[in-house]
Amino acid sequence: MRDSPAAYRAGRHFLQIPGPTNVPDRILRAMDRPTIDHRGPEFSRLARECLEGMKRIFKMSTGHVFIYPSSGTGAWEAAIVNTFSPGDRVLMFETGQFAVLWRNLAERFGLVVDFIGGDWRHGIDLVTLATKLAQDTAHQIRAVMCVHNETSTGVTSRIGEVRHAIDEAEHPALLMVDTISSLASIDYRHDEWGVDVTVAGSQKGLMLPPGLSFNAVSEKALAASKIAALPRSFWSWAEMLEPNQSGYFPYTPATNLFYGLRESISILADEEGLDNVFRRHARHGEATRRAVRAWDLQLLCLDPREYSNSLTAVLMPEGFDEARFRQVVLENFDLSLGAGLGKVKGKVFRIGHLGDFNDLMLCATLCGVEMGLEQFDVPFRKGGVMAALDYLSRGDRFPSNSQPTRSSSEAVAAT
Ligand SMILES: *Cc1c(COP(=O)(O)O)cnc(C)c1O
């Protein structure tokens, strides 16, 4: 028995996959309650607060937010079945595995997908997008469908520029965007970018357990849904709209997750503030990339304008399997890193740095990676952690446009 691994692992597990993410204790506590009547007044108030609050997270003032009891994949399906008819043409981009999966789903519903190929190291190909739209003088393309932050590659596409291309072409196509791993981590503007359907999930930037998904829908997409012919029932926007007005749902919602969602919205939008949330993620993204470069390893993302601030995908040197590397890191340091997915399986590991995350958690994560590289005999240069520490300790801890607030310096003086 003495030689067998201990049954108890002391200390906290490090869940540094790019979703699900760490759930703050406050959110866990908020959900730790008896389940209430989802047709009673307390739930109605809670749901209306969540529906309105999510508009602030999506940055939208008109349209509607739909909340489903499902993983993000459900919201992908909802976006499709509510908006299209069989045979509709859509434009999608092979940015990585999540784009491939959404494409597959669209094809199963009879959409005709023009899937623009990609090398999994870049975001949406804006030149090809502009060409395709310009060529489509008959306006047969019904929608442009994008993954904002490609979680399999650590590449963030520039949705503002996608919007610009659609406007330049004066094309009426709907714009649909998957923000499952970017919402509440990376700047996103549903209204300003003229997005018609934004797809999101609970378990990444929103810091909730898995189980809720979202469609943020413009008036234009609501209008399109009235003439769309694909059959729908569980995902139907029309069935949801009326009961939602009074804070109810056509079927049992994930009641307790709504308590968590209200807490999450309050933390993100009111207490930390979305701009500070984005800055924090940008800082952790940059520190991680500095570590990777110092290790002499390659980032999968090739264009600095497209670096993801919610995760970093790192190429393993030839001949070193990422799955075995991650196993070493998990066994020795109780740290979970993200797997290589699809085409980059075996070749890439991913460091998640999104959600409820701070400097020291990032430092510990990078230490786990650096020690793992050493133990797995990967050819690398030591000092990635040091490079990250140098950057993190440089003192731009506070947002560049503000000094430490009076209350925090007072708090320091008081200790
Ligand atoms: C996680 C993720 C999904 C899948 O969401 P599930 O909740 O696993 O169904 C889809 N798209 C992106 C970009 C993701 O990161």
Side-chain angles (χ1 to χ4, degrees), residues 14 284 357-367 389 392:
F14 273 74
H284 290 156
F357 200 54
N358 64 24
D359 288 8
L360 294 190
M361 292 162 85
L362 176 64
C363 293
T365 301
L366 296 174
C367 285
L389 296 190
L392 289 172

Side-chain angles (χ1 to χ4, degrees), residues 12 51 78 111 115 162 204 209 302 336:
R12 196 172 65 67
L51 289 164
L111 302 193
F115 199 48
V162 172
K204 302 188 186 180
L302 287 177
S336 288

Side-chain angles (χ1 to χ4, degrees), residues 18-19 70-74 76 98-99 101 147-152 178-182 199 201-204 210-213:
S70 83
S71 88
T73 301
W76 265 350
F98 289 98
L101 293 174
V147 174
H148 180 208
N149 184 65
E150 188 36 272
T151 323
S152 60
D178 169 349
T179 64
I180 296 177
S181 65
S182 54
V199 173
S202 57
Q203 77 274 26
K204 302 188 186 180
L212 290 181
S213 70

